[in-house]
Amino acid sequence: MDKRSVLPGIIISAVLTVISALFVVFLYSTYLLPWKYLLLIAAFLLVVCGGVLLLTARSEKIVKFIIGCFVTVLSIAAMVIIFLGLRHLTSTIKGMIHSKTEIAQVSVFVKADDPAQNLDDAAGYTYCILKDLDRESVDLTLVKINEELNITVPIEEYSALVPLVDSVLDGENRAMVISYDLLNILTETEVYGDLMSKFREIAVKHIEIEVPDEPIINVQSKPSGVFQMYISGIDRFGSVNSRSRSDVNIIATVNTNTREILLVTTPRDYYVPLPISNGVPDKLTHAGIYGIDCSMGTLEMLYDIDIDYFFRVNFTGFSDIIDAIGGVEVYSDRTYSLSDKYFFNEGYNHMDGETALVFARTRRLYGDSYRANNQMEVIKAVINKLSTSTVLLENYMPLMESIGDSFQCSMSYETIAGLVRKQLDTMESWHVTTYAVKGTGTKRVPFSSSVNSFVYIPNMDTVEIAKQKMQAVINGEVLE
């Protein structure tokens, strides 16, 4: 046998074998695939490599040799495509993982008719600030202002939001340093409904704030495979890393052993103490202004639980992911329309991202509790659609592109990969149930705004039912 005729085949099969081995190692390193799939892929590639060796064993047998080369090129191309896709997936997942910091948007405001157009024009002003609320981000903003102006600006402290705002409106002071979202909560009231039109922003600073890891309370540890996640939909378009009011407040209790998910939603206007309010009640949505840890801590105190993770999405990402998977089938328990553009039938409705967002945000017709139910119906629809493998494969690239900067999760990559691996291993569907706690609408003075606002007084009987349902899922029970 001529060694020159067998050498090309040996080289080709050796190259394919090395690439195949590296590919299997890469698949293992992603932690996404169950062992049965890894072994199946490895066995398949081993057979392909053996077949290529047989086909290319004698280069003078042109037809077999060409077929062997074609199989080699096709196999390598397939591995490269899968490699690039999985690398994109792992990069996207890692990009979602919480960076342990949040961005607080803090602004300098003057009256709308004030002549100052920038910080230099307002260098001689006294800057009024809140004495306690959101003080960390305000102090860091003042440091930046002092560095920029190369002076130490005078400040005046106020103990509550309304006196601070009134001092500028009345001309007692000419500038204030405050987060946009904290100032904007006064627009929820009748007296200050048009407040933002009376002020002008002359400077804005984006302050990076570290998020603590420690839970507010510690309770008995959960069984393996069980966790609770806070799902927050923030009231902001753009970066999901920004502190903002949370309009969606859902606790997902997940038991991966029984494939059970319970979604408990809490109205945004629930009147409950915050971890920072010394027992004084505030609207739940206001907790987000002080950071994701404040929102989680508020719910931990309300339900006497220890939330393990959070998942945060802004409204941009909410609609993008639904469009990326080709829309969802969402259940509505009644028929109604919103203007001439949106019409919902009782039963299941196919919704694109924009329509689902409107469905989940609208409370004008039926109130906040109805909106909360709609939000959970949309989440259920997304879970149901994503739990089918064909949807993920058919919509892989647009789904990855839609996630981008619109989602944030505090789970580690290893934990997320473990959940993906378990889902791929079983391909079983999930049983999702929902529950919404209730309350009574009235007017009270929230901790943050210091002026009468609409709130929901909690119905503690429904809170207790929610706690019992959470514990049942943790214990492995299947809810009706």
Side-chain angles (χ1 to χ4, degrees), residues 55-114:
L55 289 169
T56 59
R58 300 289 295 274
S59 60
E60 69 270 14
K61 295 185 177 182
I62 303 299
V63 176
K64 285 187 176 181
F65 188 82
I66 292 175
I67 293 174
C69 292
F70 177 76
V71 171
T72 300
V73 172
L74 188 65
S75 300
I76 293 175
M79 285 187 282
V80 169
I81 291 172
I82 296 172
F83 166 77
L84 293 175
L86 282 177
R87 191 175 67 170
H88 190 192
L89 172 61
T90 56
S91 176
T92 300
I93 294 174
K94 291 175 181 177
M96 286 173 49
I97 296 173
H98 185 41
S99 62
K100 304 300 182 184
T101 60
E102 290 179 305
I103 303 299
Q105 178 180 316
V106 184
S107 303
V108 178
F109 289 96
V110 296
K111 285 182 68 176
D113 59 357
D114 193 282

Side-chain angles (χ1 to χ4, degrees), residues 7-294:
L7 185 59
I10 294 175
I11 294 174
I12 291 171
S13 60
V15 170
L16 180 60
T17 301
V18 171
I19 293 175
S20 298
L22 292 174
F23 179 67
V24 172
V25 170
F26 166 73
L27 292 180
Y28 171 76
S29 69
T30 66
Y31 302 110
L32 294 171
L33 294 179
W35 272 107
K36 63 181 181 182
Y37 291 141
L38 283 173
L39 294 175
L40 186 62
I41 292 170
F44 175 76
L45 290 175
L46 185 61
V47 171
V48 171
C49 291
V52 167
L53 180 60
L54 292 176
L55 289 169
T56 59
R58 300 289 295 274
S59 60
E60 69 270 14
K61 295 185 177 182
I62 303 299
V63 176
K64 285 187 176 181
F65 188 82
I66 292 175
I67 293 174
C69 292
F70 177 76
V71 171
T72 300
V73 172
L74 188 65
S75 300
I76 293 175
M79 285 187 282
V80 169
I81 291 172
I82 296 172
F83 166 77
L84 293 175
L86 282 177
R87 191 175 67 170
H88 190 192
L89 172 61
T90 56
S91 176
T92 300
I93 294 174
K94 291 175 181 177
M96 286 173 49
I97 296 173
H98 185 41
S99 62
K100 304 300 182 184
T101 60
E102 290 179 305
I103 303 299
Q105 178 180 316
V106 184
S107 303
V108 178
F109 289 96
V110 296
K111 285 182 68 176
D113 59 357
D114 193 282
Q117 299 298 314
N118 51 49
L119 285 178
D120 288 330
D121 295 339
Y125 291 3
T126 294
Y127 288 72
C128 54
I129 64 173
L130 287 168
K131 183 177 181 181
D132 299 309
L133 283 184
D134 201 27
R135 189 57 187 264
E136 180 183 6
S137 59
V138 169
D139 284 344
L140 291 173
T141 301
L142 288 171
V143 170
K144 287 192 173 186
I145 292 173
N146 290 336
E147 290 174 350
E148 186 173 333
L149 297 178
N150 199 27
I151 60 173
T152 300
V153 297
I155 62 172
E156 184 170 347
E157 297 178 337
Y158 288 82
S159 59
L161 182 57
V162 169
L164 179 146
V165 169
D166 286 345
S167 75
V168 179
L169 289 176
D170 296 340
E172 181 182 338
N173 288 300
R174 298 183 63 180
M176 59 182 171
V177 182
I178 191 171
S179 77
Y180 177 90
D181 289 301
L182 187 54
L183 177 63
N184 194 50
I185 65 175
L186 285 181
T187 62
E188 301 169 354
T189 67
E190 295 179 4
V191 177
Y192 293 93
D194 61 345
L195 180 68
M196 300 311 289
S197 65
K198 297 180 180 180
F199 289 105
R200 182 162 42 81
E201 188 180 70
I202 62 171
V204 58
K205 304 297 180 184
H206 295 92
I207 307 299
E208 191 172 273
I209 305 292
E210 187 171 347
V211 178
D213 291 326
E214 296 79 10
I216 299 301
I217 63 174
N218 289 284
V219 296
Q220 187 175 5
S221 61
K222 304 178 184 72
S224 176
V226 178
F227 62 88
Q228 288 178 293
M229 174 180 285
Y230 168 50
I231 301 173
S232 169
I234 64 172
D235 185 17
R236 183 186 294 276
F237 288 87
S239 175
V240 73
N241 202 34
S242 301
R243 284 185 170 182
S244 180
R245 289 176 295 183
S246 181
D247 271 8
V248 178
N249 298 281
I250 295 173
I251 297 173
T253 304
V254 181
N255 191 319
T256 64
N257 305 311
T258 58
R259 317 291 291 176
E260 187 80 12
I261 298 176
L262 168 67
L263 302 176
V264 172
T265 184
T266 310
R268 69 186 296 278
D269 294 327
Y270 234 39
Y271 195 53
V272 289
L274 311 185
I276 63 171
S277 66
N278 295 318
V280 180
D282 200 344
K283 290 188 180 186
L284 172 60
T285 185
H286 293 169
I289 297 172
Y290 311 110
I292 191 73
D293 58 311
C294 189

Side-chain angles (χ1 to χ4, degrees), residues 328-391:
V328 288
E329 301 296 324
V330 184
Y331 183 80
S332 173
D333 64 2
R334 65 193 71 184
T335 297
Y336 64 98
S337 62
L338 298 170
S339 69
D340 296 329
K341 187 175 181 182
Y342 304 102
F343 185 84
F344 306 106
N345 290 307
E346 182 178 352
Y348 285 94
N349 298 260
H350 182 79
M351 300 184 190
D352 60 13
E354 179 184 351
T355 307
L357 181 58
V358 170
F359 182 75
R361 292 189 69 185
T362 300
R363 58 175 173 166
R364 177 171 53 85
L365 293 179
Y366 302 112
D368 196 66
S369 60
Y370 186 72
R371 177 172 70 166
N373 285 324
N374 286 355
Q375 291 166 354
M376 291 192 293
E377 289 298 332
V378 173
I379 292 175
K380 282 175 63 177
V382 172
I383 292 173
N384 289 335
K385 192 158 188 181
L386 286 179
S387 63
T388 62
S389 59
T390 56
V391 170

